[in-house]
């Protein structure tokens, strides 16, 4: 390579741009696999050219050794907490004080969501992340720089603007990451985190940055300081600046002219809080003008220019009428409380998960007890604690036989869950089929619970591979299944054969192998057979694959039953080879394509991505400049137009060949 330094810089910029698009703006332009490919290229180059190393390179997020403890750091100015307003009246009281203190001058408020995490200061020197410090007691916090560097939405290098500054903001864990973490802890027999805030705090304060990295924290900046003081004259402006500098700033904010507008913002987000992917516990209101902030000053504990409007916790008390046990895809038995229906924050709740038997013991729960339940977003409601014992209490014991198939149930050492070990258990099978067909996995539309129940109960499907043997005659035997919907389902099953290898791999339901891990494995090994043949160590050599995942994949392919399943899926025509997407600058540079009709395996989006990745363009109308028209089934008028203009017409197979991926 002529100019490794130039190439390294180009890759770093490219990766920074994609990190910003993905982690800050939530608008990725490329797939995880493509991102990983870029990262690998950069890593390779940096290894070959150690002289080009840089601490703010995107490869350097997880570095450094585990620490022995945290160093204490004094904050540039105290990190104060806020006074609370518990209802509209208290917020109006706050506003009245502000008005009086400002002597009738005009003022505005910035209303922001109050994220429920922990506050953290991040110091930048020369535009680079130099130090991150937890709030601690507000005067002195702990240096958590190594861990904070793993938070992808926290830029290692500010994109523009100030060189020396400090941001204060909230480190949070979103609900999905929280659920995933707890599910994983269940599997490993570890105690669950009670809420995303505790999980975020626990993850930021671990001594091993790798652990923080795996927890996928997020950081939202809400203050911009220089020399311990506000860096702008207006708070609103500082939020805009932070956003321009590449920080994640919550877009749900509003500049309010008076307290009524602020109250409207509070009410709006109280009603909409379930739409958010993370927990909020209220709204923070800040006087916008920094000059006015200065005039209002501080009490010993909190600023007089800001307040937290707190939402009530979404809890309710009700009684437990019974405990049912559900069986999941992996055979795990989950106890679920049947509740006397109760309204919590506008939703009627009749069931709440109890997770596992340890949790029931921890709660000291008996059937008949009155319990406090809590609903948070789309998370299934949970039992927080026993409120008072019921008058007629009955203790609950987890069954030693599967409630669905009667099979043996075991609890392995180190696991919180009991599992039904009967691989033919119909509950497990149904869950496996639903997982296989689900959106984002094999995407078999129409393969919902009602259909799967029938297919399994009638013995038509005893393995996911049987889906590919379904016929019109068989489907027509089912209830509520006419020829039209049957044809639809069959068409969708057929279409699913075109799914790329990572999806097939994720569809198998191997423990710990979700879409991302599947993509990494496919990228590393190139094909199903190589993955199936790999030893534990080889598997572990793949990026981000730890011993737990490696062991699980290895075990899966040692099981004769699973090998048979894989063979049958191969025979059905599923994709077992991985076509790594080529990077831009490829075979189709500058060529324009027009798509028409349904292609046999690629969706329109996939075909478009494929063309773009190889450097081509996709247009919606055919002209003389069109390079190729890709025609599938039931093409539209574009095909006729192409013929008329003499544009070359190709099918999917030819497209793949042109793009260099077949
Ligand atoms: S401003 C002097 N803005 O709430 C201003 N805080 O009870 C200090 N929080 O410790 C904080 N979202 O951890 C501010 N948009 C936001 C916030 C926010 C969450 C937390 C923060 C703070 C606590 C105050």
């Amino acid at each position: 390579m002529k100019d490794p330094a130039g190439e390294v810089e180009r890759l770093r910029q490219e990766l920074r741009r994609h990190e910003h698009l993905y982690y800050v703006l939530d608008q990725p332009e490329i797939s995880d696999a493509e991102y990983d490919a870029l990262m690998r290229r950069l890593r390779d180059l940096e290894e070959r050219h150690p002289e080009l190393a840089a601490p703010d390179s995107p490869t350097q997020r997880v570095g450094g050794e585990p620490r022995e403890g945290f160093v204490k750091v004094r904050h540039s100015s105290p990190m104060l907490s806020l006074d609370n307003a518990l209802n509209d009246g208290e917020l109006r009281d706050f506003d009245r004080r502000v008005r009086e203190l400002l002597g009738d001058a005009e003022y505005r408020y910035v209303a922001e969501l109050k994220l429920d995490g922990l506050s953290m200061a991040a110091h930048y020197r020369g535009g680079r992340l130099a130090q991150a410090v937890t709030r601690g007691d507000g005067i002195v916090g702990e240096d958590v720089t190594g861990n904070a560097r793993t938070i992808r939405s926290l830029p290692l290098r500010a994109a523009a603007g100030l060189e020396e500054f400090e941001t204060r903001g909230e480190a949070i864990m979103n609900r999905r990451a929280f659920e995933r973490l707890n599910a994983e802890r269940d599997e490993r027999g570890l105690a669950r985190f009670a809420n995303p805030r505790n999980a975020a705090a626990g993850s930021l304060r671990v001594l091993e940055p790798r652990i923080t990295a795996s927890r996928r924290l997020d950081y939202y900046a809400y203050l911009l300081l220089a020399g311990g003081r506000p860096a702008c004259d207006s708070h609103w402006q500082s939020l805009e600046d932070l956003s321009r500098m590449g920080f994640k700033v919550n877009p749900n904010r509003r500049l309010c002219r008076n307290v009524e507008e602020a109250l409207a913002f509070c009410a709006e987000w109280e009603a909409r809080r379930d739409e958010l992917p993370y927990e909020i516990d209220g709204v923070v209101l800040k006087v916008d003008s920094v000059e006015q902030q200065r005039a209002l000053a501080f009490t010993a504990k909190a600023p007089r220019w800001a307040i937290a409007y707190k939402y009530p916790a979404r809890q309710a008390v009700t009684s437990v009428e019974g405990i049912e046990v559900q069986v999941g895809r992996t055979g795990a038995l989950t106890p679920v409380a049947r509740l006397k229906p109760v309204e919590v924050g506008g939703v009627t709740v009749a069931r709440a998960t109890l997770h596992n038997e340890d949790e029931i013991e921890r709660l000291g729960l008996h059937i008949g007890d009155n319990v406090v339940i809590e609903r948070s977003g789309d998370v299934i409601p949970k039992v927080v604690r026993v409120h008072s014992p019921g008058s007629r209490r009955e203790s609950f014991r987890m069954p030693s036989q599967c409630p669905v198939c009667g099979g043996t149930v075991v609890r392995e050492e180190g696991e919180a869950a009991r599992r039904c070990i009967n691989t033919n258990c119909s509950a497990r099978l149904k869950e496996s089929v639903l997982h296989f067909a689900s959106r984002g996995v094999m995407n078999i539309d129409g393969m919902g619970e009602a259909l799967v129940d029938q297919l399994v109960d009638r013995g038509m499907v005893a393995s996911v591979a049987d889906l590919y043997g379904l016929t019109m005659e068989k489907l027509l035997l089912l209830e509520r299944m006419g020829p039209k919907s049957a044809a639809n389902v069959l068409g969708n099953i057929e279409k699913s054969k075109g799914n790329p290898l990572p999806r097939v791999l994720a569809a198998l339901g191997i423990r710990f192998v979700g879409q991302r891990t599947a993509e990494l494995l496919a990228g590393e090994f190139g094909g199903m057979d190589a993955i199936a043949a790999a030893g534990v160590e080889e598997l572990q050599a793949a990026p981000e694959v730890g011993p737990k995942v490696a062991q699980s994949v290895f075990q899966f392919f040692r099981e004769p039953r699973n090998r048979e399943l894989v063979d049958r899926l191969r025979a059905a025509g599923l994709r077992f080879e991985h076509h790594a997407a080529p990077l831009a600058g490829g075979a189709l540079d500058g060529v324009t394509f027009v798509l028409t009709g349904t292609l046999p395996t690629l969706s329109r989006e996939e075909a478009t991505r494929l063309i773009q990745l190889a450097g081509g363009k996709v247009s919606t109308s055919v002209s003389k400049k069109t390079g190729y028209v890709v025609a599938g089934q039931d093409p539209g008028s574009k095909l006729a137009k192409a013929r008329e203009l003499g544009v070359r017409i190709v099918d999917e197979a030819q497209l793949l060949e042109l793009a260099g991926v077949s």
Side-chain angles (χ1 to χ4, degrees):
M1 185 175 303
K2 278 197 218 97
D3 179 19
E7 175 71 358
V8 161
E9 196 42 44
R10 193 187 67 75
L11 283 167
R12 284 179 187 159
Q13 274 175 17
E14 181 87 1
L15 281 159
R16 277 188 197 117
R17 191 170 77 82
H18 288 303
E19 285 190 345
H20 187 251
L21 281 166
Y22 186 98
Y23 294 104
V24 176
L25 303 179
D26 206 8
Q27 287 166 355
E29 282 180 2
I30 57 174
S31 72
D32 287 3
E34 292 159 57
Y35 175 85
D36 293 335
L38 285 171
M39 188 65 104
R40 254 200 307 274
R41 243 161 78 182
L42 176 58
R43 212 171 259 138
D44 275 2
L45 273 173
E46 288 182 348
E47 266 170 32
R48 273 186 279 139
H49 299 277
E51 74 281 5
L52 298 176
D56 62 346
S57 168
T59 56
Q60 300 304 306
R61 284 210 175 257
V62 189
E65 293 300 306
R67 314 186 51 142
E68 308 241 310
F70 294 109
V71 174
K72 299 252 192 278
V73 180
R74 197 187 163 89
H75 292 299
S76 59
S77 61
M79 284 181 84
L80 298 176
S81 65
L82 295 172
D83 283 336
N84 293 330
L86 300 179
N87 52 48
D88 292 9
E90 292 187 11
L91 199 72
R92 290 202 176 93
D93 290 345
F94 163 79
D95 178 58
R96 198 167 307 120
R97 282 196 302 276
V98 168
R99 194 172 337 120
E100 283 167 14
L101 287 165
L102 291 179
D104 283 336
E106 286 216 357
Y107 55 93
R108 293 191 293 185
Y109 289 118
V110 177
E112 296 164 44
L113 300 184
K114 185 171 185 308
L115 304 191
D116 202 7
L118 70 154
S119 42
M120 185 181 89
H123 297 263
Y124 286 74
R125 291 190 202 108
R128 298 191 161 115
L129 175 61
Q131 192 174 43
V133 189
T134 60
R135 176 170 183 272
D137 63 6
I139 305 296
V140 172
E142 288 175 325
D143 183 326
V144 290
T145 313
N147 294 344
R149 288 174 66 89
T150 71
I151 303 176
R152 303 294 190 101
S153 48
L154 182 67
L156 293 179
R157 178 199 274 215
L162 298 171
E163 294 269 296
E164 313 282 313
F165 63 93
E166 172 184 355
T167 69
R168 291 190 180 171
E170 201 79 351
I172 62 156
M173 187 178 284
N174 71 29
R175 283 195 203 109
R176 255 185 72 193
F178 173 69
E179 295 280 290
R180 209 185 66 163
L181 173 61
N182 265 347
E184 209 179 289
R185 292 178 74 84
D186 280 348
E187 298 223 357
R188 291 167 55 201
L190 299 170
R192 314 181 114 244
F193 283 106
N195 53 50
R197 187 194 39 236
N198 291 3
S203 304
L204 197 58
R205 296 188 66 263
V206 291
L207 296 170
E208 164 68 275
R210 247 165 231 293
I211 297 182
T212 315
S214 74
R215 301 280 175 85
R216 294 175 194 272
L217 296 178
D218 219 337
Y219 181 79
Y220 284 86
Y222 52 64
L223 286 181
L224 174 60
L225 308 179
R229 296 169 184 284
C232 302
D233 296 339
S234 126
H235 177 59
W236 184 263
Q237 185 60 47
S238 67
L239 295 178
E240 306 263 298
D241 281 3
L242 279 166
S243 177
R244 244 181 352 94
M245 289 158 80
F247 289 89
K248 196 162 184 171
V249 179
N250 204 305
N252 307 312
R253 57 180 187 262
R254 191 176 294 161
L255 194 55
C256 304
R257 277 169 305 186
N258 53 49
V259 72
E260 296 309 318
E261 285 184 13
L263 280 165
F265 182 87
C266 295
E268 179 183 331
W269 283 104
E270 183 164 358
R272 291 179 61 189
R273 65 199 275 203
D274 282 357
E275 293 171 22
L276 299 165
Y278 43 75
E279 294 285 331
I280 58 171
D281 58 349
V283 165
V284 178
L285 215 59
K286 299 171 190 165
V287 169
D288 182 45
S289 150
V290 168
E291 198 183 318
Q292 290 177 331
Q293 288 182 3
R294 244 177 250 130
L296 290 161
F298 298 83
T299 65
K301 190 181 135 268
R304 276 201 209 87
W305 46 266
I307 192 151
Y309 179 93
K310 295 274 264 200
Y311 292 147
R314 286 173 302 175
Q315 295 188 334
V317 177
T318 188
S319 59
V320 174
E321 295 183 329
I323 296 178
E324 290 163 9
V325 176
Q326 289 178 349
V327 184
R329 176 162 56 89
T330 60
L333 270 49
T334 305
V336 177
R338 194 155 33 78
L339 306 167
K340 181 161 175 239
V342 62
E343 207 188 287
V344 193
V347 174
T348 305
V349 174
R351 295 153 68 76
T353 179
L354 292 164
H355 303 299
N356 52 54
E357 55 194 300
D358 292 353
E359 179 74 1
I360 296 178
E361 198 175 310
R362 190 187 69 80
L363 292 164
L365 178 75
H366 293 71
I367 298 167
D369 284 353
N370 299 309
V371 289
V372 176
I373 60 160
E374 185 175 87
R375 194 172 69 81
S376 45
D378 48 8
V379 183
I380 310 160
K382 63 180 177 204
V383 174
V384 182
R385 63 190 157 84
V386 172
H387 177 267
S388 52
S391 47
R392 294 212 345 244
R393 298 184 97 191
E394 195 188 314
S395 54
F396 168 79
R397 295 195 59 196
M398 282 294 273
S400 50
Q401 285 181 321
C402 173
V404 176
C405 71
T408 311
V409 161
V410 295
R411 180 174 175 177
E412 276 172 34
E413 221 184 286
E415 290 217 349
R418 290 183 187 226
R419 283 176 208 280
C420 163
I421 55 168
N422 172 15
T423 40
N424 293 318
C425 170
S426 67
R428 292 187 57 175
L429 181 57
K430 286 175 186 174
E431 293 295 328
S432 310
V433 177
L434 284 170
H435 165 75
F436 186 89
S438 62
R439 190 156 302 154
V441 186
M442 293 298 272
N443 272 335
I444 307 181
D445 264 4
M447 191 58 66
E449 220 166 294
L451 177 56
V452 171
D453 277 352
Q454 289 198 66
L455 290 172
V456 171
D457 292 342
R458 290 175 181 240
M460 288 182 190
V461 167
S463 143
V464 289
D466 292 335
L467 292 176
Y468 294 98
L470 289 174
T471 58
M472 183 60 103
E473 296 74 57
K474 286 188 195 166
L475 286 182
L476 286 177
L477 295 172
L478 302 177
E479 281 161 34
R480 290 189 302 278
M481 181 64 77
K484 205 165 155 209
S485 21
N488 224 330
V489 169
L490 289 173
N492 292 337
I493 292 176
E494 191 58 31
K495 212 164 79 192
S496 76
K497 292 182 183 171
N499 279 318
L501 175 64
R503 291 208 174 184
V504 179
L505 201 52
L508 294 176
I510 306 172
R511 268 174 93 193
F512 311 122
V513 180
Q515 194 60 42
R516 181 172 168 77
T517 309
E519 282 198 20
L520 292 168
L521 285 169
E524 185 73 11
F525 290 93
M528 183 74 89
D529 294 334
I531 299 170
V536 176
E537 268 175 36
E538 275 173 273
L539 288 162
Q540 228 175 296
E544 289 181 41
V545 172
K548 193 181 62 180
V549 178
Q551 191 60 40
S552 169
V553 174
F554 180 79
Q555 279 303 332
F556 181 89
F557 288 106
R558 295 300 154 302
E559 194 76 46
R561 187 188 160 81
N562 294 334
R563 294 205 85 113
E564 188 198 317
L565 168 67
V566 168
D567 286 343
R568 289 185 60 201
L569 292 178
R570 182 203 317 272
L574 269 58
R575 291 200 174 185
F576 275 31
E577 298 305 323
H578 186 51
H579 301 296
L583 290 165
L588 305 181
D589 253 348
V591 185
T592 303
F593 284 75
V594 173
L595 303 166
T596 179
T598 312
L599 300 179
T601 69
L602 293 170
S603 71
R604 193 158 280 254
E605 295 81 66
E606 285 166 337
T608 303
R609 300 245 353 99
L610 180 82
I611 292 166
Q612 289 170 343
L613 277 167
K617 284 198 280 279
V618 176
S619 161
T620 48
S621 58
V622 182
S623 74
K624 277 198 192 130
K625 293 202 188 113
T626 309
Y628 296 92
V629 165
V630 185
Q633 218 184 333
D634 300 329
S637 60
K638 291 172 192 168
L639 186 63
K641 185 81 186 280
R643 290 208 175 104
E644 195 184 305
L645 295 174
V647 173
R648 280 166 292 186
I649 298 161
V650 293
D651 61 13
E652 185 189 45
Q654 288 167 304
L655 167 65
L656 289 167
E657 212 168 279
L658 285 169
V661 293
S662 65

